[in-house]
Amino acid sequence: MKKTDYLLLKELTKVFGEGKSAFTAVDHVSLTVQEGDLVTLLGPSGCGKTTTLRMIAGFNTPTSGEVLIDDVRMNDIPPNKRPTAMVFQNYALFPHMTVFENIAYGLEIEKLPKEEIRRKVDALMHQISLDGLGNRQPRQLSGGQQQRVSLARAMILEPKVLLFDEPLSNLDAKLRMSTRLEIRKLQQRVGITSVYVTHDQEEAMTLSDKVVIMDRGTIQQIGTPSEIYSHPKNRFVADFIGKANLLEAKVVDMTNDAFSVEFSGKRITAPRWNKEIKVGDDVTVVVRPEAVIIQPKGNNDLLDGVITNAVYFGSQMLYEIQIPNKQILQIEVADPQYQPQFPQGSKVSIAFKNRSLHVLPWEQGGNV
Amino acid sequence: MNNKHSERMGDFKKMVGEPFLLVSIIVVFYLLIVFVIFPIYKVVKTSFVYDGHVSFRNYAEVLSHDYYIRPLWNSMILGLLVATIGTVIGFVFAYAITRTPMKGKTVFRLVATFPMVSPPFVVALACILLFGRAGIFKGAIGNIYGLTGLTIVEVIAYSPTAFLSLFGILQSIDPALEEAAMVCGASRGKVFRSIILPLATPGVVSAWLLVFIQSLADFGNPMILSGNFSVLSVQAYLQITGMNDLARGSTLAILLLIPTLLAFYTQKYLVSKKSFVTVTGKPTASTIKNLEWYVKLPVYVVCVFFAGVVVLFYGMVVWGSFQRLWGIDKTFTLQNYVQMWAVGKDYIRDSLIIAAIVTPICGLLSMFIAYLVTRKRFFGRGLMEFSAMLTFAVPGTVVGIGYILAFNTSSALMPVTLTGTATIIIALLIFRNLPVGIRNGIAALQQIDPSIEEASIDCGANSGTTFWRITLPMITPALFSGLANSFVRSMTAISAVIFVVSGGWNLITVAILGFVDNSQYAQAAAMSILLIAIVLIALFLMQLATDRVGKGMKVGLMEGEQS
């Protein structure tokens, strides 16, 4: 099946308040979501992700811009007439109804025959392992079960777009992980187009076909999880996704596919993704914690460093290394028991796994 | 079994090891027995004594005379009407403020709750000024002395109770539930019928019962407006003060007490039953912005109309207080205030002195009882809470009669005669105003992690020091709202205190009622305005104090809330 653009946000903007107290929560956000994809809106709190989601659902009216679902303009359609359904952060289960009544609620509004409702609800409850819980009250369920009821109540309507508003944030860490996988499997099996809001990058990385990074109401980058991790577009994305050591450097030479940058008097080679950066430009080099090889001090072409902290984590070793410009690099070494270990105070040389480095244009006052 | 026993013994020994705690529990119990249980017991006992023997004769006689049965029915009918209309208005107001984008919500809230800070019977006075024989809308609603007038007046006086209770309920219904229903395709009407209404039902019933109780217990309004439509509270008063028939008065009081207690405990049961209402994490108000006009219009009309009526009634009292002769001579004058002051300055002084004594004692005692019942384990804890909260449910008339019966003579419990002293008024007001403070205190304490107090005891402090140094500062907001409530109610109370006032000590409310009785409406209005002004100033000062103290408190409370 060829994927088509299914959900379209065109220059979507939301301004709260008026005059001096006006606050732009969402600023010209444009996005296309293809049929069957799960797209995450990821960003720190206050970045506009939830407001964007609520504009898709119809709870917030856009100040300007358009929401289109399957080529139909949604702006003037009230939430109860939109082909969307939503899974809420606190589940928002109707406390005075049983699990069955909760899930059946939307079908009853559609005035489906009783037997058909019963059949559909039972089938869905079976599919998401809620068998036998139909007569329970929501408060008698565990957090994970409540979350699944909330999901079922939304899915039973077979909406064109399913919306998730941080649905896992109230679960404990372990349950969050398993539920995350379950949601992903279910979403792929049913092939339902989904928009998922979260501030948890791990959640976004593991769930999504595409991740949309937002900050202060604007989209910073759209891409697959691996694109976003390995080729962040700017400092914000580099810093927000995963851990990153940022080195301020200058481009001294470049070939067709590599930069040579100077940092603290040493030369570092990095892949050339950004074609706009020229020789002589100031740049920021993104060094992921796993992109470093620590060696005993010796090689004069390499950056010197002193281990200031070494913490053993079992599956990995975390080092903090002070480099000549006083910056502290955070480095992770996998499988530490099979690697040479460096105690605190060791003088070392730092080599980079050059293919894992990423060069960004320098940003004025880039906040780290 | 054995373990349970030794556990209790352990608790007891711990308490003996803390003399302060033991003594204060005994003192509190003594006070509650003397000033709460004993008077009510006396009313019950008197109603069952005929010619010196225990019998049902009083009840048999009362229930066989139309003269006595009529007030019973009248009270019920009035209560039903007032509770129903009052709850509807309260609900509409609560809905408007929590669920619509209405402009000027603060003003509407203020107006809607204003009748709570005035003596309820001021509304009756306004009703006479508006619709009475010399009123500006004379005859517009027929004869005001009777069911119609009383219903209107009590609805104005008691809808605020329904509003406040329903406001809390509607506010705690998570808006996400409505949104969830809407994304499931529910229309606005369907959301209301299938989500809001079922969730609010226990609250609606409970608000209805509260207003019903208030209407039954109301004394001032029917005293002024009942005319030939006699009600229980007034009838019981007249039996005692007019006919000096204590037995019949007590019997009528018990007939008033029974439905009130039934309503009260039904209400308590409804509230205690695990309610569905969910506390929301992040209130979102955006759905209300897009409310349809056909929802907004009727809601706004009711709000504007009711608020208009409240303003009209109280405005009338203000206006009336400045006129030379109501309905005849509209010349502006201050003479009513001069006359009122000449007659009433002693009443005002007495009221202020008594309120100044009652307020701090009541505030601290209510917080201390709240502390004891939530934080300490001792034999009779449930009984302490029950008796301390009892006066909340018992109509003032019953309490007043009880105080007459209990304290006219000395007894083993109270070796001196209290009647005629300021002490009896003070005691009555303290124990009548305790429940609200205790309820606030308990609610505040439940928000605070007990481990904070355990830490204090761990550091070597005893229960008394812990209460004074740790608990009380943390529940300061509850203390202040308890103080405010106690002051307002001390200044505006009438139903119970009217039985215990005397030549020596008298109160403003009684004086106002006296003016009304003499048809000196202008002076009554002037005195009511003065009383309301005093109450408002006191509330304002207390709000200032709360804000000042509250700032230092914030951190502690917020940490407490998270636990």
Side-chain angles (χ1 to χ4, degrees):
Chain A
M1 185 175 71
K2 192 186 165 292
K3 287 192 168 184
T4 55
D5 291 348
Y6 203 60
L7 167 68
L8 256 112
L9 308 184
K10 285 189 185 165
E11 300 283 315
L12 209 54
T13 299
K14 177 73 187 175
V15 181
F16 288 113
E18 276 169 37
K20 272 186 188 159
S21 62
F23 165 71
T24 308
V26 176
D27 197 359
H28 294 91
V29 161
S30 295
L31 176 69
T32 59
V33 180
Q34 296 189 318
E35 192 168 3
D37 270 6
L38 190 151
V39 169
T40 335
L41 306 183
L42 174 65
S45 58
C47 73
K49 55 191 190 300
T50 300
T51 308
T52 306
L53 192 79
R54 293 172 64 81
M55 283 195 278
I56 303 172
F59 293 128
N60 287 352
T61 310
T63 308
S64 64
E66 282 185 312
V67 177
L68 284 100
I69 295 174
D70 205 4
D71 292 330
V72 181
R73 188 174 185 272
M74 289 288 135
N75 288 44
D76 306 321
I77 301 176
N80 53 332
K81 302 273 195 266
R82 291 195 187 193
T84 53
M86 187 148 151
V87 180
F88 290 81
Q89 179 170 22
N90 53 2
Y91 321 133
L93 297 181
F94 308 131
H96 57 304
M97 298 182 191
T98 62
V99 167
F100 182 90
E101 287 165 345
N102 263 282
I103 301 175
Y105 186 79
L107 297 180
E108 264 157 24
I109 287 169
E110 285 177 13
K111 299 218 162 53
L112 255 58
K114 279 245 170 345
E115 315 81 71
E116 201 181 338
I117 294 179
R118 159 90 27 207
R119 196 174 46 73
K120 281 190 159 186
V121 174
D122 283 345
L124 185 57
M125 282 179 63
H126 177 70
Q127 205 178 357
I128 59 173
S129 330
L130 285 172
D131 296 283
L133 298 180
N135 289 324
R136 297 271 184 96
Q137 297 289 326
R139 64 172 178 277
Q140 296 172 304
L141 304 184
S142 70
Q145 288 169 332
Q146 290 188 18
Q147 207 278 336
R148 291 212 293 279
V149 175
S150 174
L151 181 63
R153 184 179 62 188
M155 282 186 59
I156 197 127
L157 300 166
E158 293 166 16
K160 289 186 170 172
V161 177
L162 186 55
L163 306 171
F164 294 88
D165 184 8
E166 309 210 22
L168 304 182
S169 59
N170 287 344
L171 299 179
D172 64 57
K174 228 174 191 169
L175 203 54
R176 197 150 57 208
M177 217 127 73
S178 61
T179 314
R180 189 162 81 198
L181 293 174
E182 246 177 83
I183 288 183
R184 179 56 166 162
K185 274 191 261 172
L186 195 66
Q187 184 268 335
Q188 283 179 324
R189 192 165 63 220
V190 183
I192 194 162
T193 312
S194 307
V195 180
Y196 190 107
V197 160
T198 180
H199 62 267
D200 180 336
Q201 48 152 316
E202 207 179 298
E203 214 169 290
M205 300 300 259
T206 49
L207 266 174
S208 326
D209 293 299
K210 262 188 194 165
V211 180
V212 179
I213 311 273
M214 292 184 70
D215 183 40
R216 293 179 220 173
T218 56
I219 292 180
Q220 301 295 313
Q221 188 168 359
I222 304 177
T224 62
S226 81
E227 277 167 2
I228 293 223
Y229 187 77
S230 49
H231 307 306
K233 257 194 186 152
N234 56 33
R235 284 179 76 127
F236 175 82
V237 177
D239 197 48
F240 189 76
I241 298 294
K243 292 179 197 160
N245 299 291
L246 302 174
L247 307 180
E248 305 300 337
K250 194 187 217 36
V251 179
V252 289
D253 195 7
M254 64 186 190
T255 65
N256 215 7
D257 43 39
F259 290 117
S260 184
V261 302
E262 192 182 277
F263 175 78
S264 275
K266 312 284 176 180
R267 288 219 172 179
I268 303 169
T269 313
R272 183 179 165 211
W273 292 96
N274 190 324
K275 302 292 179 192
E276 283 159 25
I277 297 173
K278 307 181 298 289
V279 172
D281 281 2
D282 287 324
V283 291
T284 302
V285 182
V286 180
V287 183
R288 296 291 182 191
E290 66 278 9
V292 167
I293 301 159
I294 308 174
Q295 301 173 354
K297 189 177 160 100
N299 189 339
N300 269 339
D301 292 340
L302 298 180
L303 201 58
D304 293 333
V306 179
I307 307 276
T308 54
N309 200 6
V311 184
Y312 178 69
F313 274 103
S315 65
Q316 55 186 359
M317 188 93 191
L318 177 76
Y319 289 108
E320 287 182 351
I321 306 176
Q322 189 173 47
I323 52 176
N325 70 346
K326 301 291 179 208
Q327 208 175 335
I328 305 263
L329 300 186
Q330 297 203 331
I331 305 302
E332 286 164 13
V333 177
D335 297 330
Q337 48 273 67
Y338 308 111
Q339 309 273 346
Q341 297 200 3
F342 301 92
Q344 198 173 325
S346 320
K347 293 196 158 64
V348 294
S349 291
I350 298 164
F352 296 98
K353 299 175 183 167
N354 301 76
R355 289 213 318 219
S356 306
L357 300 182
H358 187 78
V359 176
L360 290 177
W362 187 78
E363 278 172 56
Q364 178 87 41
N367 59 328
V368 182
Chain B
M1 254 346 245
N2 234 346
N3 278 342
K4 199 81 210 154
H5 180 72
S6 69
E7 189 188 318
R8 284 214 184 118
M9 278 308 289
D11 281 345
F12 181 70
K13 279 181 192 155
K14 256 194 282 180
M15 221 162 68
V16 175
E18 263 203 89
F20 167 80
L21 190 60
L22 188 63
V23 169
S24 53
I25 287 172
I26 291 170
V27 170
V28 168
F29 260 122
Y30 170 74
L31 292 173
L32 290 174
I33 287 168
V34 173
F35 292 110
V36 178
I37 308 284
F38 183 49
I40 296 171
Y41 162 76
K42 286 293 261 188
V43 181
V44 176
K45 191 179 150 198
T46 310
S47 77
F48 282 111
V49 171
Y50 192 89
D51 266 350
H53 299 97
V54 176
S55 86
F56 281 94
R57 279 285 291 275
N58 290 323
Y59 288 92
E61 280 188 9
V62 163
L63 291 175
S64 60
H65 280 77
D66 191 49
Y67 180 72
Y68 295 114
I69 292 188
R70 192 127 296 275
L72 179 62
W73 288 129
N74 285 351
S75 281
M76 293 297 145
I77 291 166
L78 178 64
L80 286 174
L81 277 174
V82 172
T84 308
I85 302 170
T87 305
V88 169
I89 291 176
F91 189 92
V92 172
F93 256 87
Y95 184 85
I97 285 174
T98 57
R99 292 280 192 284
T100 72
M102 182 164 74
K103 292 254 181 345
K105 282 184 187 175
T106 331
V107 177
F108 274 99
R109 267 181 80 164
L110 222 69
V111 172
T113 48
F114 188 74
M116 297 191 92
V117 301
S118 89
F121 59 83
V122 170
V123 187
L125 172 62
C127 189
I128 292 177
L129 296 178
L130 273 167
F131 305 111
R133 287 174 193 121
I136 26 178
F137 301 120
K138 182 169 52 177
I141 53 165
N143 179 12
I144 56 164
Y145 296 92
L147 183 60
T148 321
L150 269 179
T151 306
I152 294 174
V153 162
E154 288 192 356
V155 162
I156 295 173
Y158 300 126
S159 306
T161 310
F163 161 68
L164 280 187
S165 141
L166 288 166
F167 174 73
I169 297 285
L170 287 186
Q171 203 181 29
S172 61
I173 295 177
D174 188 348
L177 294 178
E178 289 159 69
E179 294 181 353
M182 282 179 97
V183 286
C184 287
S187 63
R188 191 67 71 173
K190 174 83 182 170
V191 172
F192 185 80
R193 281 193 313 270
S194 65
I195 309 295
I196 298 181
L197 212 51
L199 286 175
T201 298
V204 170
V205 176
S206 134
W208 191 95
L209 289 168
L210 284 179
V211 179
F212 180 71
I213 292 170
Q214 286 191 313
S215 166
L216 279 192
D218 189 13
F219 175 81
N221 287 313
M223 189 69 192
I224 294 173
L225 278 186
S226 63
N228 292 327
F229 185 82
S230 65
V231 298
L232 273 180
S233 57
V234 174
Q235 205 49 240
Y237 170 76
L238 294 177
Q239 282 301 312
I240 287 181
T241 55
M243 323 266 183
N244 207 12
D245 188 342
L246 289 171
R248 267 199 198 142
S250 298
T251 310
L252 288 174
I254 295 299
L255 290 181
L256 176 63
L257 181 63
I258 292 168
T260 315
L261 282 185
L262 275 178
F264 179 72
Y265 284 102
T266 314
Q267 191 268 341
K268 257 195 92 163
Y269 171 74
L270 278 177
V271 172
S272 70
K273 223 175 54 173
K274 182 109 181 104
S275 80
F276 293 128
V277 167
T278 49
V279 178
T280 158
K282 47 167 193 182
T284 40
S286 43
T287 50
I288 64 173
K289 297 253 166 62
N290 306 323
L291 207 61
E292 291 81 1
W293 66 269
Y294 56 82
V295 182
K296 283 192 271 194
L297 190 69
V299 167
Y300 289 3
V301 166
V302 170
C303 287
V304 169
F305 178 75
F306 184 75
V309 168
V310 171
V311 171
L312 176 69
F313 270 61
Y314 283 94
M316 208 45 58
V317 179
V318 178
W319 198 35
S321 74
F322 290 113
Q323 286 195 25
R324 194 170 286 277
L325 192 55
W326 182 253
I328 295 166
D329 186 352
K330 290 203 171 85
T331 326
F332 176 87
T333 176
L334 289 174
Q335 142 209 336
N336 300 316
Y337 284 85
V338 176
Q339 283 172 4
M340 170 274 284
W341 183 255
V343 181
K345 62 176 180 302
D346 291 345
Y347 294 79
I348 296 164
R349 190 200 55 212
D350 286 0
S351 271
L352 283 173
I353 291 173
I354 284 173
I357 297 171
V358 167
T359 302
I361 298 179
C362 183
L364 287 175
L365 187 60
S366 60
M367 291 305 124
F368 189 63
I369 293 177
Y371 170 73
L372 287 180
V373 298
T374 47
R375 290 294 201 258
K376 295 293 159 190
R377 298 189 47 187
F378 55 90
F379 179 72
R381 188 180 59 166
L383 187 69
M384 180 182 282
E385 188 177 355
F386 171 81
S387 48
M389 299 300 284
L390 190 59
T391 44
F392 195 65
V394 178
T397 311
V398 181
V399 175
I401 294 174
Y403 269 57
I404 291 188
L405 295 172
F407 304 120
N408 255 351
T409 53
S410 57
S411 63
L413 281 168
M414 180 46 66
V416 290
T417 307
L418 292 180
T419 304
T421 63
T423 315
I424 191 169
I425 305 178
I426 292 169
L428 187 149
L429 287 172
I430 289 176
F431 287 91
R432 240 178 117 52
N433 298 341
L434 268 185
V436 175
I438 294 178
R439 216 176 36 184
N440 286 344
I442 290 178
L445 282 169
Q446 281 167 346
Q447 299 282 308
I448 295 171
D449 192 341
S451 61
I452 299 175
E453 284 150 30
E454 283 161 12
S456 158
I457 289 177
D458 232 28
C459 291
N462 64 20
S463 293
T465 313
T466 303
F467 173 73
W468 191 251
R469 295 274 307 274
I470 307 295
T471 313
L472 197 57
M474 284 194 298
I475 56 174
T476 308
L479 171 67
F480 274 78
S481 75
L483 290 175
N485 171 72
S486 173
F487 183 82
V488 171
R489 288 181 42 134
S490 301
M491 293 298 288
T492 60
I494 181 78
S495 59
V497 286
I498 198 162
F499 289 92
V500 293
V501 292
S502 56
W505 288 91
N506 222 319
L507 298 174
I508 302 186
T509 44
V510 179
I512 298 175
L513 217 53
F515 281 131
V516 176
D517 229 23
N518 297 336
S519 301
Q520 291 174 289
Y521 299 128
Q523 285 88 335
M527 204 162 203
S528 302
I529 297 303
L530 180 73
L531 172 54
I532 292 173
I534 293 173
V535 168
L536 287 180
I537 291 169
L539 281 180
F540 175 72
L541 291 179
M542 257 182 244
Q543 183 64 49
L544 276 189
T546 314
D547 288 349
R548 180 163 294 184
V549 183
K551 260 171 209 145
M553 288 334 302
K554 248 178 192 149
V555 178
L557 263 186
M558 264 160 49
E559 280 165 0
E561 271 163 10
Q562 277 166 3
S563 62

